Amino acid sequence: MLNRRNFLKIGAAAATTTVAAGASLNVHAVKDLPHWGNKDFSPGTGKRRQAIPSACWQCVTRCANIGYVEDGRLVKIESNVNSIRTEGVMCAKGQGAVNHTYDPDRILYPMQRVGERGSGQWKRISWDEALDMVAARMKKNRDAGTPEKVAFHYGRMKASHSKTIGGFFKAYGTGSIGNHTALCEGGKWTAQELTWGGHYDNWDFDNTKFVLNFGSNVLETHTNHIPTAHRLLWAMAEKGVEMVTFDVRLSNTAAKSKEWVPIKVGTDGAVLAAMINVVMKEGLYKGDGEEFLKYTRVTEDVNASVADKVKAIKAHVKGYTPKWAEKISGVPAKKITALARQFATTKPAVLVSYRGLVAHYNGNEGERLAQLLCAVTGQMDKPGTRMKAVGAGWKFPKIPSAKNVKKLHIFDGFPGQVAYPTHHVCEMVFPMIKDGKHGRPDMYIMYCYTPAYANGNSGEGIEVLKDEKLLPFLVAIDPFYGDSTMYADLILPDTPFTERWTAEDMVDPAQIGEFYIRQPFTKPLGEARDFSDVVFDLAKRLGLDMGKAKSHEDYVRLACENTPGVKEAGGFAYMKKHGVWHDKNAKPQQQVYNRPVPESKYKAKGVVLDKASGVYWKPASAADAKKGYVATKGAYKKYVAQNMPHGVFSGFAPDKVNKSGYLELWSPLLKAKGFNPMPTWIAIPEHQKMGRDDLILTTYKHATQTHSRTMNCKYLAEVFHSNPAWINPKTAKARGIYDGDRIKVTSDVGSMVTKARVTEAIIPGIVAVSHHCGHWAYGRYASGKRAPATDEERGDRDFKLKWWTDNGVHPNWVIPNSPDPINGQQRWMDTVVRVTRV
Amino acid sequence: MTTDSAPTMTRRQMLKRVGATTAGVTVVAAAPMAARAATQEVRYAMVIDTRRCSGCQACSIACKTEFEVPLGGVRSWVEHIEVGKYPNVERRMLPRLCNQCSEPPCVDVCPTEPRKATYKREKDGIVVVDESLCIGCAKCVEACPYDARFMNPFKGDPVKTKGNGVADKCDFCLHRISQGVQPSCVNTCQGKARIFGDLNDPTSEVAKLVDEFETTVLLREKKTKPSVFYIGAEYLEAKKDPKADQYFRLDTHRNERSSKRWA
């Protein structure tokens, strides 16, 4: 049903020919090769390699993949051509994942610290000993009535892993769970929750005619990377779709754009505001915009007419003229006007935004301004625009929760620091632990998380990790020895994803859920165990009920056997064989907001209309009804429909916060916290008082790496291992800096000495440093240091051939932990620094 | 949503239209067709459409893993070329691999007798290395103007090669194409920038693309007659690239010590 354009005979079905064992290579003249992939052969012997469908985990995109095994060894990974998400293509990171399994610095046995924290002295212990330790500590805290002092902080934990591991800790009774989202783009999600409800915007490149990009580097990195990026490349190549990218440097995405528009750091919001000004002034909102505004709230009055809404928006953006924005952003007023017109009149067009817009002090408002521009042009949730994303909804087995789940209040920033930390504020956990007034964990577990490396202020992070008074019992769960695991008291060897089971669910740009699983390519090496299996073991030791499943594989099996659609297709057996499944009869989702809701639903028993918000909801009690929708904790879960002047509609259902069912761009929630209820330009405070010689430090990602954990993949490190500071020639010359010179970069929290890369591909006045490099203890390829061996020397024949010695310098020593005051997003791009030649 | 909006133009018209939007591309019968060897049954070739390449390096890593290429060696890699003056800066993406030349300098210098260890296959034009014959002298590595060959220390008889390993290079994934499967780099490319096939077959994609577009090759003046053709890389054969005067940086993403400049 999804008939992809077959310009280059792409998407060939999985192979049906078989090769006799031991067949020698023979060449025959084939016209065009019939098979795109899904099968592979040994280059040496020609023998067919065993193909196992699974899923990648190098980044959160989690593409469906195929692993090839030869003589029990994982030798190659490719995309699964049958995936409607990836359509058979894969990025460098996914290809490089074979290096994970055989990383010579992998931890293969539980290890216990001997000597000082961080001294690198370890003894090997058994799993029994290790889990006895963990269980005993957890029991101690539970018996003391303080289960919340067991803190579990994950970097990446998704889908079925999230259910079993998360379920385990909930069954135990601790809600002290940390995540990493604020380090990525948590703020973007909060801004979306404040506006259109459940987060994730899918950019429909398949159907768009124009792409307006504020600070996304989608062709190198994105949370739905390959599924979206390849669609963009095909749209550009095959349909001539143009992209205009605003960025402070020429990323590869900017390089492939029709135009790179250089812009001053953190001023994208001003440009967006000015574009809205142009749209309103020139009447470009008429038609589609007016129609969409019916489903938008831009006034306190939830029954406002479209005419009133137009008036309100016009009044709000009156001062945001292109000339005004030019002064702030450096983008010529003419350009802003032209692009506003182009975006408004090219139907459909997609507005793309990511960390360049969002990882700033004013990021929340930046994303809200983006949503407002989409609203006034009607470029939202329709094919070819930014749409509400669709993932796979598995029916997961339930794991019963403890009756009273308690938590330490250290995961959402200091009191009053962040207005709506809906994705938490992980970068403030260590400062808060240091501060101590809001509690400290007795046991702090890092799972696939390297706080010292990934958070800002690495120096402070290490200080906290080292301190047994602050973190009495420190546990790391990781397949690899690393920059943070080195400080642990106990290391549990996790499996890399190449040795795991999972039921996966990441969103599909074709707007249909794709169900897929991860299955091990090979048996776990050494004594490595998937932590989502280990929790079943721990549960037994703690007398906890984990529900029906007996292991994580069992959990995945049950999910396959009970999820409608997957079940009928053949359940677990089908998924093990094919890896992916989607409903061929499903229609792509679009326009969730304008579906009329029948009276039977909004006039059902218990459903009331909240006058202030216009929300039809089902309050749990009369008291809640009296308090009202906005003021009742968790009211959003009871949302039924939205009352609008022209009817009762599905609207943009709320998630995480009690917003109305409108696209809410007048937010009572923000007003209540002292912010402007409408999306507003906010200047970044420290940039208004910079010294004459001060510069701004920004960070960026590269196509071959994910944030912190791929640098141990030797093939990826070979291509990208060095992260010199990009600097414009003008800025460099003024400081006597030439290409390759050693420079010192100093901020209020630290300094680093690194190399300069003098390039025209960046705006003056800043330095840009990639944060993938500068590991100080992530194995021989990432950091030049071998992990402390346990009872054997493990070699890798390539190590003698490592030709690079530059492992980079990590910028996070210089970047403070500092959240956006509305949503908690870590402000990666705002740091004021002084740069001098060494 | 995806099917209903499929364009009604033919693929050929589509490719022509897209070709017209890039600077200076005109549709001209490309010279390489004339180099079709009379004796060759099949002439495998690759077209690289750089307009579709985002420089992501997936092909580099796919090739690396497919063959477990030792660190320091490359069979396929992607170069980035930065040119221009702020804010008019370009970054050009240039995937590179052995050009499977019709007049391969590497074969000329191979000293082994009676049979050369490296040779161009009669039946399909792929230049290969016979591990069992290679003596590890590395003359072919030196001779290649494209820096497409390297010595692989993990292959060959160490006594015979005096520990130098054997010459190694891209062979168009012979082990895959012989089973009807696309080469690894082609398979992984998210932009579908690499197109592989038989240039001698007029119905193949590569033949049609080479016919449709004015493609360029690397170091045409060396008369190696490459079998790798580039779309959207006119600068490779431009008399003078004005932007290169302003600012020029070449990132090869490989061991610089062994890399030769092609430009």
Side-chain angles (χ1 to χ4, degrees), chain B residues 11-261:
Chain B
R11 180 193 50 77
R12 171 136 291 136
Q13 289 170 321
M14 183 62 62
L15 288 170
K16 264 202 165 91
R17 183 175 76 82
V18 178
T21 64
T22 61
V25 173
T26 49
V27 178
V28 158
M33 291 300 273
R36 186 186 307 181
T39 54
Q40 235 175 281
E41 196 181 303
V42 166
R43 185 186 168 194
Y44 282 131
M46 187 175 286
V47 172
I48 297 180
D49 186 350
T50 63
R51 304 165 309 167
R52 290 169 167 268
C53 174
S54 66
C56 74
Q57 307 285 351
C59 54
S60 311
I61 308 299
C63 178
K64 199 86 188 186
T65 57
E66 184 76 19
F67 297 95
E68 226 178 330
V69 177
L71 291 184
V74 279
R75 292 168 67 123
S76 184
W77 70 104
V78 182
E79 298 177 348
H80 292 182
I81 300 129
E82 276 182 17
V83 287
K85 193 164 170 66
Y86 176 82
N88 301 308
V89 191
E90 254 181 70
R91 183 174 303 119
R92 301 165 180 162
M93 318 300 185
L94 193 72
R96 301 259 276 112
L97 69 171
C98 169
N99 288 284
Q100 312 290 356
C101 305
S102 289
E103 305 287 341
C106 53
V107 171
D108 287 343
V109 304
C110 180
T112 60
E113 289 183 340
R115 288 185 293 131
K116 283 179 185 276
T118 192
Y119 59 95
K120 189 172 174 72
R121 289 158 57 102
E122 285 259 347
K123 53 173 75 168
D124 56 26
I126 300 179
V127 180
V128 296
V129 178
D130 187 334
E131 258 179 68
S132 65
L133 298 177
C134 180
I135 59 168
C137 70
K139 286 205 167 83
C140 59
V141 173
E142 271 306 302
C144 175
Y146 304 106
D147 210 16
R149 301 173 73 106
F150 66 99
M151 298 310 289
N152 188 334
F154 302 147
K155 287 185 174 177
D157 174 0
V159 173
K160 188 184 183 119
T161 65
K162 298 195 178 67
N164 287 336
V166 299
D168 204 349
K169 59 184 282 302
C170 166
D171 65 354
F172 273 165
C173 272
L174 202 41
H175 67 295
R176 286 171 66 107
I177 62 176
S178 62
Q179 307 288 358
V181 187
Q182 293 281 358
S184 235
C185 57
V186 177
N187 160 283
T188 200
C189 178
Q190 55 167 311
K192 297 278 181 236
R194 291 179 182 242
I195 304 102
F196 172 82
D198 176 12
L199 205 54
N200 282 353
D201 174 4
T203 68
S204 74
E205 295 287 349
V206 289
K208 289 175 188 166
L209 287 170
V210 161
D211 185 43
E212 291 261 357
F213 289 91
E214 189 172 328
T215 57
T216 51
V217 299
L218 290 168
L219 302 176
R220 193 184 288 275
E221 67 278 10
K222 296 244 182 214
K223 297 194 166 43
T224 53
K225 300 207 182 91
S227 307
V228 174
F229 306 97
Y230 292 93
I231 295 173
E234 290 74 40
Y235 61 88
L236 292 178
E237 297 192 43
K239 286 244 171 353
K240 186 175 161 63
D241 183 345
K243 283 199 166 171
D245 280 349
Q246 298 165 330
Y247 161 71
F248 178 92
R249 183 193 293 273
L250 172 65
D251 287 313
T252 62
H253 304 108
R254 56 178 286 180
N255 190 350
E256 284 289 340
R257 282 177 305 155
S258 68
S259 172
K260 293 185 185 134
R261 290 290 163 92

Side-chain angles (χ1 to χ4, degrees), chain A residues 339-358:
Chain A
L339 287 172
R341 288 174 184 156
Q342 188 175 10
F343 179 74
T345 58
T346 310
K347 301 272 168 82
V350 59
L351 199 154
V352 162
S353 64
Y354 229 81
R355 283 148 60 106
L357 173 67
V358 160

Side-chain angles (χ1 to χ4, degrees), chain A residues 433-626:
Chain A
I433 287 173
K434 219 174 141 183
D435 172 81
K437 287 193 212 54
H438 305 279
R440 288 184 180 139
D442 174 66
M443 180 170 167
Y444 184 76
I445 306 166
M446 303 179 286
Y447 171 76
C448 186
Y449 181 42
T450 176
Y453 186 89
N455 295 0
N457 204 338
S458 297
E460 184 178 68
I462 290 172
E463 188 193 313
V464 172
L465 285 171
K466 270 187 164 157
D467 194 335
E468 291 184 65
K469 282 195 255 48
L470 297 180
L471 296 174
F473 187 42
L474 188 57
V475 180
I477 304 167
D478 209 304
F480 311 106
Y481 195 79
D483 315 283
S484 299
T485 59
M486 64 180 282
Y487 296 106
D489 300 322
L490 174 67
I491 303 178
L492 301 181
D494 201 5
T495 48
F497 69 87
T498 47
E499 297 167 1
R500 284 186 205 164
W501 290 95
T502 325
E504 278 293 5
D505 60 8
M506 191 48 175
V507 301
D508 168 35
Q511 296 288 99
I512 286 164
E514 174 166 84
F515 294 81
Y516 58 112
I517 67 162
R518 182 174 294 108
Q519 62 184 313
F521 295 132
T522 48
K523 285 202 166 29
L525 286 187
E527 294 185 9
R529 291 174 69 185
D530 181 354
F531 186 63
S532 62
D533 259 337
V534 172
V535 293
F536 287 89
D537 194 337
L538 277 172
K540 270 205 211 83
R541 288 164 198 257
L542 292 164
L544 299 172
D545 177 14
M546 289 288 282
K548 287 203 178 80
K550 300 283 163 278
S551 68
H552 195 79
E553 177 185 345
D554 203 27
Y555 194 84
V556 173
R557 180 187 65 80
L558 288 168
C560 294
E561 299 299 338
N562 289 297
T563 299
V566 179
K567 175 169 67 182
E568 288 79 13
F572 195 43
Y574 179 93
M575 295 307 284
K576 279 195 282 188
K577 182 158 186 240
H578 299 278
V580 295
W581 180 83
H582 74 274
D583 179 357
K584 291 184 175 51
N585 296 317
K587 283 195 170 24
Q589 177 185 285
Q590 58 165 292
Q591 291 184 285
V592 298
Y593 56 91
N594 61 358
R595 301 169 188 191
V597 174
E599 261 193 38
S600 56
K601 284 242 152 68
Y602 70 84
K603 287 237 162 101
K605 187 159 186 273
V607 180
V608 302
L609 173 62
D610 179 87
K611 290 230 163 58
S613 61
V615 170
Y616 279 102
W617 68 306
K618 206 170 175 199
S621 64
D624 281 354
K626 193 155 179 256

Side-chain angles (χ1 to χ4, degrees), chain A residues 1-5 7-10 19 25-43 46 49 73 75-76 78-79 87-92 95-96 98 204 206-207 219 225-226 229-230 233-234 236-240 250-252 255-256 260 262 383 387 509-511 588 702-704 714-716 718-719 726 728 739 757-764 781 797-798 801-804, chain B residues 1-3 5-7 9-11 14-15 17-18 21 41-42 44 49-74 80 82 84-91 93 121 123-124 153-154 174-184 186-198 201 203-206 208-209 246-247 249 251 253-257:
Chain A
M1 163 246 155
L2 282 174
N3 181 17
R4 295 295 305 150
R5 295 177 300 277
F7 288 118
L8 299 173
K9 299 201 174 69
I10 56 174
V19 177
L25 293 177
N26 75 87
V27 172
H28 50 283
V30 289
K31 285 201 182 299
D32 270 317
L33 300 167
H35 303 295
W36 198 263
N38 276 33
K39 54 182 188 163
D40 193 22
F41 303 84
S42 165
R49 289 169 161 172
R73 202 185 149 85
V75 290
K76 182 76 166 61
E78 286 178 354
S79 181
E87 300 188 279
V89 301
M90 175 174 279
C91 74
Q95 289 284 352
V98 293
D204 185 16
D206 280 344
N207 297 294
L219 292 181
H225 182 34
I226 286 301
H230 85 268
L233 285 171
W234 295 4
M236 296 197 305
E238 295 165 20
K239 294 197 272 190
L250 189 79
S251 63
N252 287 352
K256 297 302 290 184
W260 166 43
M387 306 179 70
Q511 296 288 99
H702 188 269
T704 55
K714 60 187 178 182
Y715 296 152
L716 299 178
E718 181 173 43
V719 172
W726 290 31
N728 182 284
D739 193 37
R757 174 183 163 119
V758 180
T759 170
E760 300 277 348
I762 188 170
I763 65 170
Y781 295 111
R797 64 180 190 175
D798 264 327
L801 302 173
K802 179 178 184 249
W803 49 268
W804 67 95
Chain B
M1 196 174 75
T2 50
T3 53
S5 57
M9 272 186 260
T10 64
R11 180 193 50 77
M14 183 62 62
L15 288 170
R17 183 175 76 82
V18 178
T21 64
E41 196 181 303
V42 166
Y44 282 131
D49 186 350
T50 63
R51 304 165 309 167
R52 290 169 167 268
C53 174
S54 66
C56 74
Q57 307 285 351
C59 54
S60 311
I61 308 299
C63 178
K64 199 86 188 186
T65 57
E66 184 76 19
F67 297 95
E68 226 178 330
V69 177
L71 291 184
V74 279
H80 292 182
E82 276 182 17
K85 193 164 170 66
Y86 176 82
N88 301 308
V89 191
E90 254 181 70
R91 183 174 303 119
M93 318 300 185
R121 289 158 57 102
K123 53 173 75 168
D124 56 26
F154 302 147
L174 202 41
H175 67 295
R176 286 171 66 107
I177 62 176
S178 62
Q179 307 288 358
V181 187
Q182 293 281 358
S184 235
V186 177
N187 160 283
T188 200
C189 178
Q190 55 167 311
K192 297 278 181 236
R194 291 179 182 242
I195 304 102
F196 172 82
D198 176 12
D201 174 4
T203 68
S204 74
E205 295 287 349
V206 289
K208 289 175 188 166
L209 287 170
Q246 298 165 330
Y247 161 71
R249 183 193 293 273
D251 287 313
H253 304 108
R254 56 178 286 180
N255 190 350
E256 284 289 340
R257 282 177 305 155

